[in-house]
Amino acid sequence: MIDVEYCRLMAEYNGWLNEKIYSACAALPDAALHEDRGAFFKSIYLTLNHIAYADLAFLSRFTGEPAGGPPLGEDLFGGFDQLRHERTQLDRRIVNWSSALTPEWLAEPLTYTSKVDGKVRTIDRWVLVAHLFNHQTHHRGQVTTL
């Protein structure tokens, strides 16, 4: 099982890496960010949007905010500048959230309904938190390839 220190470290790491990747992406023309490059989410922009979607969905499950989570598959912010701004806010939120975690909270199961397939699942929170951070890393890797 992961512990709260791991969560805090990964939250800080996540914010640091997002700042680096968003800085690199900011140097690209808007057309390059939105170009269909054949990736699962097509473009750099939509892959970054998906990471934000997933982070918001996980936080919704963990904290109830936002209630119900964001809509699946939509452009959440309407452009790179707004996405970058929201990413910064989201990374701060993840750091603050991780600083309040307890071993007891991590050990408890969480039941939720997936927006991807509609299935109800019950999984220990620590597994879902590990997936939150792994998911970010996985898709940032895709962005660096694109």
Side-chain angles (χ1 to χ4, degrees):
M1 181 170 113
I2 62 173
D3 62 20
V4 295
E5 290 307 315
Y6 170 84
C7 297
R8 292 173 186 144
L9 176 65
M10 291 304 294
E12 292 287 341
Y13 172 79
N14 169 63
W16 174 69
L17 248 305
N18 280 335
E19 177 55 37
K20 292 179 81 59
I21 205 162
Y22 273 78
S23 291
C25 289
L28 297 172
D30 201 51
L33 292 171
H34 287 87
E35 178 184 343
D36 185 340
R37 297 170 183 262
F40 189 83
F41 295 101
K42 297 186 175 23
S43 68
I44 292 169
Y45 176 80
L46 289 176
T47 303
L48 293 171
N49 181 76
H50 171 72
I51 298 168
Y53 161 81
D55 289 353
L56 288 166
F58 276 112
L59 286 172
S60 175
R61 291 175 190 146
F62 299 153
T63 69
E65 297 280 332
L72 179 62
E74 292 184 13
D75 179 349
L76 299 175
F77 305 108
F80 180 77
D81 290 340
Q82 187 62 25
L83 174 61
R84 186 177 190 187
H85 173 77
E86 295 295 331
R87 176 78 263 169
T88 301
Q89 301 302 312
L90 188 51
D91 288 340
R92 283 191 199 122
R93 185 172 169 213
I94 292 170
V95 167
N96 291 338
W97 163 78
S98 71
S99 71
L101 294 178
T102 65
E104 295 77 20
W105 186 90
L106 284 171
E108 292 176 7
L110 177 72
T111 300
Y112 68 96
T113 302
S114 170
K115 285 192 174 185
V116 175
D117 62 14
K119 292 183 180 179
V120 176
R121 294 184 172 84
T122 299
I123 302 173
D124 288 345
R125 286 177 176 156
W126 74 267
V127 174
L128 294 169
V129 172
H131 183 62
L132 162 75
F133 293 121
N134 187 54
H135 179 266
Q136 296 163 351
T137 301
H138 167 72
H139 287 299
R140 276 194 304 262
Q142 290 177 327
V143 169
T144 61
T145 299
L146 297 175

